[in-house]
Amino acid sequence: MTLLYILAFVLLCIALNQLFRVFELSRDLRGEQLYKTHDSDNRFNGRGMLLFMFAFFAFFLWQIDSYYYRILPKSASEHGYKIDALLNANYALVVLVFFVVNGFLFFFAWKYHGTKDRKAEYILHNNKLEMLWTTVPAIALAFIIIFGLKYWNEIMKRNNDPNPLKIELYAKQFDWTARYAGKDDQFGIDDYMQINGGNPVGLDTNDIRCNDDILVKNEFHLPVNKEIVFSFRSRDIIHSAFMPHFRAQMNCVPGQITSFRFKPVITTAEMRKDPHVQRNINEINAIRAKKGEDPIEFDYLVLCNKICGASHYNMQMKIVVESEADYNAWLAKQKTFKAIAQK
Ligand SMILES: [Cu+2]
């Protein structure tokens, strides 16, 4: 079938070529100069430019209308609204520049199309123009950078909860382990020499603060409306903990601890009811159904956002955001490091 399409396309090209050839020959017969550009050609091309501009803009708007819903749903974290505001301001700026620049480009191509009695002006240098097209982008970029730095500082320096929940995310090729500090609210230290099957994140068994630490795989839970301080570690190479629904990402660097804090404000159950989320999930499930696969439900995820090896694409862990009571009930069922190590 594909071959047929290609063949049809080639034949179409040949046919068009022949058609133009006939056109050229007929001009030749009428005694017109063959390769001379006429005013009518320029006018035709100018109109073509204008037509293309409208088609181009219409296509752009159609794409936004058709696909915009596939972007991330509303932010599930408190600070995420600031990230989104910044992103939307950037989008607005980029779209405005897109319309203005392309509008001028194609409009001028039409308005100043060549005629017999008009010649293009040759300008070697113009200080005013140089100033203009340096200053305007500089102001726009300064606006984006200052806006971004202001938000970054506000997000990183937030310290409104004196007693946040501490969670460590441990990365390795190719999975995540989450660690909770346990009853003493303190993480024990780690010792990479002690990494083994029963001690995957290498906790130091000599440090009694490790005993009540809780290690979980596959999924971890967060209480809603509670400030969470994440610390990140990596065993092997640089990974990146990306939690897109919370507008959070931080690199996990071997040999050092990085940190990020956020407050989840929407539970998993609430997010599943969001119309935007439902539309996307229904679309995915329709595709899965065609393939004979089971339907999925929406879940928050932590994904690895550094291309870290063959199974990078699958380096993810589910995040469940729930009420404080549900969270406490879940945590009570998890085993402590001591209980795991004693086995
Ligand atoms: Cu990774």
Side-chain angles (χ1 to χ4, degrees):
M1 200 62 196
T2 318
L3 202 71
L4 260 171
Y5 280 127
I6 294 170
L7 204 68
F9 182 70
V10 171
L11 283 173
L12 185 75
C13 289
I14 294 171
L16 278 175
N17 186 46
Q18 292 302 320
L19 205 69
F20 283 124
R21 188 84 200 112
V22 170
F23 184 63
E24 278 175 6
L25 285 173
S26 72
R27 266 192 164 183
D28 207 16
L29 284 175
R30 272 184 275 142
E32 286 176 28
Q33 274 176 293
L34 245 189
Y35 295 106
K36 194 168 182 314
T37 315
H38 302 267
D39 276 3
S40 59
D41 298 327
N42 287 330
R43 212 177 310 122
F44 178 79
N45 283 338
R47 282 179 190 154
M49 287 284 188
L50 212 54
L51 196 70
F52 179 81
M53 180 187 79
F54 287 121
F56 188 38
F57 286 167
F59 179 58
F60 172 77
L61 294 172
W62 172 81
Q63 281 185 93
I64 290 184
D65 184 54
S66 303
Y67 299 110
Y68 195 69
Y69 71 96
R70 289 193 185 168
I71 63 162
L72 284 170
K74 64 186 176 206
S75 170
S77 69
E78 198 182 41
H79 79 277
Y81 289 97
K82 287 187 174 170
I83 307 259
D84 287 358
L86 188 59
L87 191 70
N88 288 336
N90 275 273
Y91 275 151
L93 199 67
V94 168
V95 169
L96 180 76
V97 171
F98 168 79
F99 276 111
V100 170
V101 170
N102 285 293
F104 274 130
L105 186 69
F106 292 106
F107 177 73
F108 284 167
W110 166 73
K111 184 152 173 55
Y112 299 111
H113 66 78
T115 58
K116 270 201 191 81
D117 38 45
R118 185 158 59 195
K119 271 209 143 184
E121 199 175 333
Y122 181 62
I123 307 171
L124 196 60
H125 187 81
N126 186 322
N127 273 336
K128 269 189 194 155
L129 270 179
E130 291 280 347
M131 280 285 276
L132 186 72
W133 65 53
T134 311
T135 318
V136 171
I139 291 170
L141 285 178
F143 165 76
I144 293 171
I145 292 167
I146 291 167
F147 201 174
L149 280 177
K150 178 179 174 292
Y151 276 176
W152 176 254
N153 286 328
E154 282 173 16
I155 289 164
M156 294 310 280
K157 282 186 185 158
R158 254 166 354 115
N159 206 2
N160 40 22
D161 191 337
N163 192 26
L165 172 65
K166 295 195 211 75
I167 297 177
E168 179 194 77
L169 280 179
Y170 182 85
K172 72 170 173 65
Q173 288 173 318
F174 295 100
D175 59 32
W176 300 96
T177 308
R179 173 156 70 130
Y180 294 77
K183 283 206 175 66
D184 65 356
D185 201 30
Q186 291 185 72
F187 287 129
I189 57 167
D190 61 285
D191 171 13
Y192 73 94
M193 292 293 281
Q194 296 190 35
I195 293 174
N196 60 46
N199 188 1
V201 307
L203 299 190
D204 186 347
T205 46
N206 300 316
D207 185 348
I208 54 162
R209 289 173 303 178
C210 283
N211 288 345
D212 66 347
D213 287 4
I214 290 162
L215 295 173
V216 291
K217 270 189 154 342
N218 304 323
E219 67 174 65
F220 70 102
H221 291 221
L222 304 175
V224 71
N225 293 324
K226 170 90 182 156
E227 187 85 7
I228 322 273
V229 174
F230 284 95
S231 43
F232 304 96
R233 286 199 296 137
S234 168
R235 179 195 290 183
D236 34 42
I237 55 170
I238 299 178
H239 298 272
S240 194
F242 180 38
M243 295 176 254
H245 306 102
F246 305 100
R247 313 295 192 260
Q249 179 175 332
M250 189 54 71
N251 280 3
C252 310
V253 186
Q256 76 179 61
I257 296 171
T258 48
S259 177
F260 194 86
R261 55 160 75 205
F262 68 73
K263 186 195 274 189
V265 288
I266 302 172
T267 65
T268 300
E270 283 163 356
M271 202 53 135
R272 281 179 181 166
K273 287 188 201 130
D274 183 86
H276 181 168
V277 169
Q278 282 185 343
R279 183 175 173 190
N280 279 295
I281 291 291
N282 289 343
E283 199 173 280
I284 293 167
N285 282 337
I287 296 168
R288 291 178 69 88
K290 270 189 206 150
K291 291 200 228 164
E293 292 168 351
D294 293 333
I296 56 157
E297 273 191 304
F298 170 82
D299 270 311
Y300 295 126
L301 291 171
V302 52
L303 304 153
C304 179
N305 213 9
K306 280 275 176 289
I307 300 176
C308 58
S311 293
H312 155 73
Y313 75 96
N314 203 24
M315 185 169 164
Q316 52 174 267
M317 180 161 54
K318 186 168 129 182
I319 306 172
V320 178
V321 179
E322 58 198 0
S323 69
E324 178 130 28
D326 288 346
Y327 163 77
N328 286 331
W330 171 81
L331 196 66
K333 277 188 263 165
Q334 306 307 311
K335 288 200 179 82
T336 61
F337 175 63
K338 197 178 179 189
I340 299 168
Q342 273 173 351
K343 264 192 190 166

